[in-house]
Amino acid sequence: MDQVKSQFFTQGDVSISSYLLAHYRDLGMTNDEFLLYVQLKNQLEHAQNINLSTISHSTGWSTNQLNQIIDQLRTKSFINLVSLRDESGKVTTSIDFSPLYVKIIETEGIYSHSTAGQRVESQGEVFVDTASQNDQPTRTDIFNLIEQEFGRPLSSIELQTVKDWFDIDHFRPDFIKAALQEAVMNNALSLRYIETILVAWQKKNYHSLNDIQTERKSRQQYKAANPENIPKVATDVDLYNLDLGNL
C-alpha cells in the first residue's frame, strides 16, 4: 500500500484542457480516440517518448488496435507523426498534437479576425505570392475571396483543397476567381462546383479570361434566344446538369 501511495504522489499528473474535455466529441473525436490522446499526452509529458506496450497494458488494447486508433487520429487531422533522432542516432516516432489545437482554436472562433492565408501559414504551409507581379490575384487574395463569398472561415480540409488547386492542379489564380464568380452567379457555392468549372476550362484549353468571357457571352446569348433550352458544355462534365444538392 505504501508503494502505491508513493507512486500516486510521485508520478505526477497530466494536463488536459477543460474545453477539450467538454467538447472532444463535438470536434469529431471518439471516446477511444480521446482516451488514447490522454495516454499519449501523459507519456510525452513524463517520459518524452511513446511506449505502446505500456499503453496496451493500461487500456487492454492490443498494439494493433492502438496503431489503428493512432491512424484514425492522424486521418482526422488531430495529430501528426513526427520522426525524431535521439542522442544515440536512433530514429523514433513521436506525436505532434498541434493539428488538434488548431481545430480547437478554429472552433472557438479565435481565427475570426484572421485571414485564410494567415491560417494556412499558421498550419505550416508556406507559399510565396508572386502572382501579383503578373496582374494575377495572389493566393491570399483567392483564399480570402472564397471565404468572403462563402460567408464563413474555410476548414482545414478546404484550405488544403484550395492549396492543391495551385500546387497540384496548377489552376491560374484569375481562373479560380472567375470560377468563383460563376459559382456565385449560379447560386452553387461549393469547392466541388468551382473545381468542376476549372477542370472544364482546362479541358477546353482556355488560355485567357477572354476565352471565358467569350463563352459566357455566347451562353447568355443562347439563353436569351432559347429560354426553354438548357445549354450543354462540350466537355466530359456538364456544368448545367450538376446535382447541386449533392455539392
Side-chain angles (χ1 to χ4, degrees):
M1 178 66 83
D2 290 338
Q3 183 179 2
V4 173
K5 289 181 179 179
S6 176
Q7 289 179 347
F8 177 81
F9 288 109
T10 61
Q11 289 189 356
D13 302 316
V14 58
S15 59
I16 302 295
S17 161
S18 296
Y19 178 87
L20 180 59
L21 187 62
H23 297 284
Y24 69 90
R25 289 182 60 83
D26 297 331
L27 295 170
M29 187 180 289
T30 66
N31 293 335
D32 288 350
E33 290 166 352
F34 180 72
L35 175 58
L36 182 54
Y37 160 77
V38 175
Q39 292 281 346
L40 292 169
K41 194 170 189 296
N42 178 60
Q43 286 199 346
L44 289 175
E45 288 187 2
H46 295 97
Q48 303 300 317
N49 56 21
I50 301 298
N51 188 322
L52 291 186
S53 296
T54 302
I55 297 178
S56 176
H57 178 75
S58 299
T59 62
W61 293 328
S62 68
T63 53
N64 285 337
Q65 288 175 302
L66 292 174
N67 280 318
Q68 289 176 358
I69 300 174
I70 289 174
D71 190 56
Q72 289 170 199
L73 289 167
R74 182 188 60 79
T75 302
K76 291 181 177 180
S77 298
F78 290 125
I79 64 172
N80 284 327
L81 301 181
V82 181
S83 294
L84 301 174
R85 191 178 298 274
D86 60 21
E87 296 178 357
S88 64
K90 181 180 178 181
V91 176
T92 61
T93 300
S94 186
I95 305 291
D96 172 22
F97 295 115
S98 59
L100 170 61
Y101 304 145
V102 169
K103 282 181 177 291
I104 294 173
I105 292 172
E106 287 179 339
T107 303
E108 280 284 73
I110 295 177
Y111 275 145
S112 60
H113 298 295
S114 67
T115 67
Q118 289 171 335
R119 294 205 305 283
V120 170
E121 292 175 351
S122 74
Q123 295 179 42
E125 303 291 352
V126 180
F127 53 80
V128 178
D129 275 337
T130 59
S132 59
Q133 299 173 4
N134 301 317
D135 295 326
Q136 288 269 3
T138 66
R139 290 192 183 201
T140 302
D141 291 337
I142 295 300
F143 282 120
N144 295 339
L145 280 172
I146 294 174
E147 282 200 334
Q148 180 179 336
E149 294 297 347
F150 278 39
R152 61 171 176 80
L154 295 177
S155 69
S156 299
I157 294 176
E158 289 172 323
L159 288 172
Q160 184 61 48
T161 297
V162 178
K163 182 177 180 295
D164 288 345
W165 289 352
F166 291 95
D167 297 336
I168 297 176
D169 301 304
H170 303 293
F171 294 136
R172 287 176 38 162
D174 55 347
F175 277 29
I176 298 175
K177 181 178 179 180
L180 174 61
Q181 293 171 343
E182 289 279 344
V184 172
M185 288 189 294
N186 290 313
N187 195 28
L189 279 175
S190 81
L191 295 186
R192 180 183 169 191
Y193 188 91
I194 295 170
E195 186 170 310
T196 301
I197 296 173
L198 290 166
V199 170
W201 290 343
Q202 192 176 63
K203 288 183 177 181
K204 296 175 103 171
N205 202 28
Y206 284 173
H207 295 291
S208 70
L209 291 177
N210 287 334
D211 295 327
I212 296 172
Q213 292 168 354
T214 298
E215 178 192 273
R216 188 177 294 169
K217 289 179 181 178
S218 177
R219 187 167 71 243
Q220 291 172 344
Q221 291 172 355
Y222 183 92
K223 290 170 105 176
N226 304 275
E228 296 182 357
N229 295 329
I230 299 177
K232 304 285 185 179
V233 174
T235 68
D236 294 337
V237 182
D238 183 358
L239 297 183
Y240 303 97
N241 285 322
L242 285 174
D243 184 1
L244 301 184
N246 293 328
L247 296 179

